[in-house]
Structure formats: structure tokens, C-alpha cells
Amino acid sequence: MAEIYKLIPSGFSFKKVDGYNKVLPITIGKYFEHARGVGTDLYIVKHYTKLSSTELARGYVPTGAVENAHELRQKQIKLASKLDSTKDKASAYISSPTMIYQSKEDEYAMVFVSCKDGYIGCGWYDHAATPKKGLKLAAFVLYALGVINAKVDETLWEVTYNYLPYDSELGRSEVADEIIFDSMKAEVIRRNNEPTKVVRLTNSDDDNGNN
């Protein structure tokens, strides 16, 4: 395993869903800032097997106050639907675990990778409908997921670390690794010194990427 994992803070723990460590909202928020994101974007991550699908995360990354939660909720529903409807295309395209599937339609970008028992997909709503930024941000979320689950899912780790940066819009960047581990350290400080603040779009466990 790569030496980089020694950088995980001692005693640090993640929330888990379906056996996977959840990517910290602060990690996604900081990469969004690095990518010069503005406005409010949305993301959803799901784990697909032959028998079921499980939502691993959903949230939003604002650079300001959320002005229209109802409208964002409708876009979030559409994003989830598009992610589900893209899964079959992704599984038909991915003929080996080394392959990455990407698609984009208007503001909605989808990226899928293989995991130990199926596929994991990330859908990203890019409010600005840029040609590539939504794909880049979705790929980063999967990359971060692979990094923090290296011991949980070796297939996910290998495809996200060895192939995803080269075959997606993410590209290879040491900045991504720095953000992942620096945000863990920041989360340790936050947990020790600040109360948790969560702004919800719904009653589900939405994540605010800036908190």
C-alpha cells in the first residue's frame, strides 16, 4: 500500500455507509474551491451491485447562502435519477476494472468506476454547465473515496488511484492528495473545537461541502 496512508491522523474515524468510509464534506468543499467553483453544485454517490443499490453520499457545495432550497431539491432528484439511468450504460462499457465511464448532459455529469462487487458512480450537478468541470469534480469524489477505502475495497482503490486520474478529467495532481489529508486534519480540529453545523435541503443526511 502506498506510503501516503501514513498521513491519516492517528485515531481518525470516518462515518460509514454500506461498509465504506464516507468522504468528508469538507474534502469535497475544499476541492471545489481549488477548482474555482462558484455558486451551488450538487453531488450524489451510489454503490451498485447486481442485487441492490445504496446511496453512499449526497450533498451540495455552496460558495454562499442557499437561496432556493426547493429548486435545488428538484435538481437533486433529477441528478439521482440520471445516475441510476446511467448505470447500465456504464456497466456495459466497462469491460475490465481498469476502465472509467464518463458522460455529460447539460449540467449533469456522471463518472463510474468498478468496485469489488459492482460499480460506484458519482453524479455531479454543475450549475454553470461547463464542458468539463462537473466531470472533474465527480472524478475527484471517486478518487477521494478510493483513497480512504484502500483497505476496504482493493478494486476501488486500484482503479481510482492507478487509472482514474489518467482516463478522466481529474488528471494527476498532488493537490488532490494534499486536500484529502489536510481536510482530515481540519476535521479533527473542528470536531474538537466546534459544534457540528449542518444545513439540510431535505430530511435526509445531506452534506454541506463547506462544513
Side-chain angles (χ1 to χ4, degrees), residues 36-62:
R36 301 179 183 177
V38 296
T40 303
D41 284 9
L42 307 166
Y43 62 88
I44 294 177
V45 184
K46 295 190 73 171
H47 173 211
Y48 298 89
T49 68
K50 290 183 178 180
L51 300 177
S52 65
S53 64
T54 304
E55 187 173 286
L56 301 182
R58 70 165 58 196
Y60 63 103
V61 279

Side-chain angles (χ1 to χ4, degrees), residues 40 47 49 56 65 85-86 92-93 114 119 136 141 160 172 202:
T40 303
H47 173 211
T49 68
L56 301 182
S85 65
T86 303
Y93 174 83
S114 296
Y119 305 92
K136 180 184 182 74
V141 175
T160 54
R172 179 173 177 174
T202 69

Side-chain angles (χ1 to χ4, degrees), residues 7-8 15 19 28 31 36 42-43 53 56 75 98 111 126 137 155 159 162 168 200:
L7 296 175
I8 296 178
K15 292 182 180 179
I28 300 172
Y31 194 80
R36 301 179 183 177
L42 307 166
Y43 62 88
S53 64
L56 301 182
K75 294 183 183 301
T98 63
V111 181
D126 170 21
L137 291 163
T155 299
V159 68
N162 293 326
S168 72
R200 300 187 185 279

Side-chain angles (χ1 to χ4, degrees), residues 145-158:
L145 186 70
V147 166
I148 65 174
N149 285 286
K151 295 182 179 180
V152 175
D153 190 329
E154 187 174 347
T155 299
L156 177 65
W157 150 248
E158 288 182 351

Side-chain angles (χ1 to χ4, degrees), residues 142-195:
L142 293 178
Y143 179 80
L145 186 70
V147 166
I148 65 174
N149 285 286
K151 295 182 179 180
V152 175
D153 190 329
E154 187 174 347
T155 299
L156 177 65
W157 150 248
E158 288 182 351
V159 68
T160 54
Y161 192 80
N162 293 326
Y163 305 105
L164 181 66
Y166 305 96
D167 298 330
S168 72
E169 295 298 332
L170 177 61
R172 179 173 177 174
S173 172
E174 285 70 23
V175 172
D177 293 323
E178 291 176 4
I179 286 174
I180 292 168
F181 294 104
D182 285 349
S183 62
M184 289 183 198
K185 296 174 185 177
E187 179 68 2
V188 170
I189 295 172
R190 187 194 69 80
R191 290 179 184 180
N192 290 336
N193 296 287
E194 298 180 3

